[in-house]
Amino acid sequence: MARYWRTQGPVALITLTNPPVNALSAAVRRAVTDVLCRALADDEVKAVVLCGENGQFSGGADIREFATPLSGPALVSLVHDIEASEKPMVAAIEGVALGGGLELALGCHYRIAHAKARLGLPEVTLGLIPGAGGTQRLPRLIGMPSALEIITTGRHVSAQEALKLGIVDQITDDNTVETAVKFALSVIGRPLSSRRLSERAVVCPVDVVGVLEAGMARVKRRACGASAPVACVQALTAAATLPYSRGLEKEEHLITTLMDSSQARSMQYCFMAQRIAGKWSLPSGARWSNSKPTAVHRVGVVGLGTMGRGITVSLVRAGISVVAVETDKKQMDMGKQAVLGMLERDAQRRGDTGTRGHPSTHLLTFTLSMQQLGNVDLVIEAVFEDMPLKKRVFTELCRVCKPDALLCTNTSALDVDELSAVTHRRPLVVGMHFFAPANVMKLLEVVCGPHSSPEAVATAMTLGKRMGKIGVVVGNCPGFVGNRMLMLYLDQAHFLLEEGATPEEVDQALEEFGFAMGIFKVSDLSGLDVGWRIRKASGLIGPNVDPKAPSRRRQGNRYSPLPDLLCEQGRLGQKSGRGWYLYDTPGSKEPRPDPAMRRFLQEYRSRYGITPRHIHAHEVIERCTYALANEGFRILEEGVAAGPEDIDVVYVFGYSWPKHRGGPMFHAAQVGLDRVLQRLEHYHQLHPDTPHLQPSPLLRRLVKEGSPPVHQWREHVRHMHSHL
Ligand code: 3H9
């Protein structure tokens, strides 16, 4: 848990040892407290270097222990003891120093970091604030404006930036521990009081109150109801206005309150869910750990439309060689320009280049010839969503690519299995559903068809991780996990309009719940014609179906033609200046309620004899979120996802579900499965023509078995599938 030995004469070394990231568990805190006592009591020891095993300083407090009562010495006291030491304490930071890890380092009198190290206080992303003195020490070290930005965003800071800001005293490309030991030798005997951050005054700009007020306004605007960012500013305000010890009391009060909150539990669940989804499994039992990914050095991207460009940029950023193929010269030139532009902007942002161009452009080949894909290890096809076109591309790929090259299709809904049937290498075909814009969005659904091999899935997941994506393995069904659930969510929103709500009312309820944008604003942003095209292609609307039919049913189920009617009127969303909302000009992003929309809805309701009723925000949330969770249960039943964590990760990272609500499945568990079941039964009784409101058998089964906690559902589902 912490090793201790004497080295280089008077310098003692304390090594945090809790692989993989040296999380500061109770056992680690206990061990460090003990060895620190030994070092301080040893007259031969004149300085101490604190480092971490395995090239990692520390990933912070042990998140797994948050659910249990605190045991062992508190981290805040340990940091205090380190700072109070009369012998110089030097932190040797390799890998990461995050959260409590950085707080431990801030207790040291000096900090030396490896050039590749990353530092930060990401507690806000776990629904917390730094709770071991970080909110009080960081502004004393680097000043309030920078501390405010770093703590409220939780972002990681590179070693170079940390040096510029003054978080570390030195960075090195060499052995960090050896450098720190040398450094420690050089500072023996120097006075320490100016190095103790708790004894310093906070470096505040003249208008610190204005800075903090602006910070508070900013976090409130962005937080969408999350408490932690607000608490961060409150703790920093205490640092600016109170003596250190009182500021620390405020920090303790705030973190204690947050620690018990459902928001923190939800966000910590999200952190763990992301890791669980990354170690994918399917109900079939196929697992990441058993399947070896193949090496990918060179990737082909076919199609340089919006998706192909974003995918290419993400690959190049990861240092992977790309052969980008287009069939049309003009489209290729445009795509090339767009890709190079994005990479150049990247480089400028990072200050990587003084001249034009990105340092990675040598990784790119643009071509009009598929033949150039002969030596790639994997291809990502990103042509238009059209099955015959994709089939033609896949047939050609089989001809030109080496026999063991993986063939991946970037599709948001098409049948990966049908596509793989045109190849002679079905085990090597998987779906890679990127989200737009692909160079920004984190989520990647890796679609495993019935013939896809576990190795192919493992390879796509590994590639996704290298590209900085959060991969989730899903089964092959229309819309996979994300879009399949989205359809039902949209349906509920449209039905609510039919029954009496306005787009603004539905959006406001969803935004108060925590979504950054309501569903109608999102639809306007994405363009209403996208769904219209898909519905037309799937036969839901078309010449044989009268959208004005009084039953408003399609294929036997309730169907709202509202979005189709909008498209027919040319209301396509932001791009046409009108959609569910009104925009000042086409392309403008500021939605305004449209009186014409109200009139349109009134006319629609009277045409169909619907008496509008007042719809409470509570009903909006229940119908939208429970419909999502209910479909999630069906997805688990069918084996399209292996566990609730996978579904929640898809929703949080692909569909902006608020992290502080955990995800639709976690939210259902928080509400209580029996309550969700009862409300779904109620709504289904009122709307029997909406089968998606009918509670799923798995939900009923879980309730019958006493509503086990969400982390047990995966095992439950696996068990269910093994008995089918
Ligand atoms: C805090 O410090 C509060 C303080 O202010 C004090 C309050 C009093 N705890 O992500 P990876 C596990 S709050 C426990 O796949 P990577 C992780 O679950 C904390 N476990 O690797 C996984 O386990 P498994 C503030 C942790 O290389 C394994 O390590 N700190 C912790 O892609 C590998 O993780 C943070 O928010 C932890 N703190 O990324 C940092 N961290 O193999 C959270 C990791 O069983 N951590 N694990 O699935 C991270 O951001 C990333 O894990 C890190 C490594 C960048 C460190």
Side-chain angles (χ1 to χ4, degrees), residues 645-674:
E645 295 88 353
D646 306 47
I647 296 174
D648 285 337
V649 168
V650 167
Y651 260 77
V652 166
F653 293 99
Y655 296 83
S656 304
W657 175 284
K659 240 187 191 177
H660 62 274
R661 300 275 189 180
M665 308 313 283
F666 185 80
H667 177 63
Q670 292 284 90
V671 169
L673 294 187
D674 45 355

Side-chain angles (χ1 to χ4, degrees), residues 18-25 29 56 58-66 70 74-76 96-103 118 120-126 128-134 154 156 251 255 259 268 271-272 274-276 279 465:
N18 186 15
V21 299
N22 302 320
L24 302 167
S25 62
R29 297 194 305 272
Q56 298 285 345
S58 171
D62 192 331
I63 299 166
R64 288 163 218 267
E65 288 185 355
F66 287 166
L70 178 78
L75 188 57
V76 69
V96 291
L98 296 174
L102 180 56
E103 290 174 299
R118 282 179 294 144
L121 293 174
E123 285 87 342
V124 71
T125 63
L126 298 170
L128 301 174
I129 62 168
H156 296 187
E251 182 190 272
I255 193 169
M259 201 58 111
Q268 289 152 25
F271 176 84
M272 289 302 172
Q274 199 181 322
R275 269 90 204 147
I276 292 169
K279 296 188 188 111
K465 188 159 186 187

Side-chain angles (χ1 to χ4, degrees), residues 413-592:
L414 295 181
D415 185 342
V416 174
D417 193 40
E418 185 183 335
L419 187 57
S420 81
V422 303
T423 73
H424 303 295
R425 49 176 98 178
R426 298 186 86 172
L428 295 181
V429 177
V430 292
M432 284 182 95
H433 176 203
F434 290 89
F435 288 68
N439 52 315
V440 175
M441 291 292 284
K442 287 272 182 197
L443 183 68
L444 169 67
E445 282 184 322
V446 172
V447 187
C448 176
H451 298 277
S452 310
S453 73
E455 288 71 26
V457 176
T459 306
M461 285 291 278
T462 309
L463 178 65
K465 188 159 186 187
R466 281 172 73 193
M467 293 166 77
K469 303 295 172 199
I470 297 168
V472 179
V473 175
V474 299
N476 183 39
C477 70
F480 315 127
V481 167
N483 283 343
R484 168 170 164 176
M485 286 167 69
L486 178 69
M487 292 306 151
L488 309 185
Y489 172 30
L490 276 167
D491 277 353
Q492 286 307 313
H494 297 146
F495 297 159
L496 287 162
L497 296 192
E498 291 187 337
E499 291 164 36
T502 62
E504 304 86 87
E505 283 163 358
V506 172
D507 279 356
Q508 191 184 342
L510 293 167
E511 286 164 19
E512 277 167 12
F513 178 77
F515 282 96
M517 253 193 208
I519 187 73
F520 291 112
K521 286 184 191 156
V522 173
S523 301
D524 274 359
L525 177 71
S526 324
L528 301 185
D529 50 329
V530 181
W532 194 34
R533 258 203 319 267
I534 294 172
R535 290 191 294 278
K536 278 200 242 180
S538 65
L540 271 176
I541 45 178
N544 300 326
V545 188
D546 175 9
K548 299 182 182 73
S551 62
R552 290 175 294 116
R553 283 167 198 259
R554 294 292 178 274
Q555 297 166 359
N557 300 327
R558 181 174 175 183
Y559 176 86
S560 172
L562 279 172
D564 305 328
L565 295 174
L566 254 63
C567 289
E568 282 169 20
Q569 294 175 15
R571 299 186 71 118
L572 305 181
Q574 281 186 10
K575 61 176 127 178
S576 64
R578 291 180 321 153
W580 296 107
Y581 292 88
L582 194 61
Y583 300 85
D584 285 339
T585 51
S588 139
K589 294 188 185 326
E590 242 355 277
R592 280 192 288 119

Side-chain angles (χ1 to χ4, degrees), residues 198-213:
S198 67
E199 292 179 16
R200 287 194 194 171
V202 177
V203 191
C204 284
V206 188
D207 64 336
V208 67
V209 175
V211 168
L212 287 162
E213 279 175 2

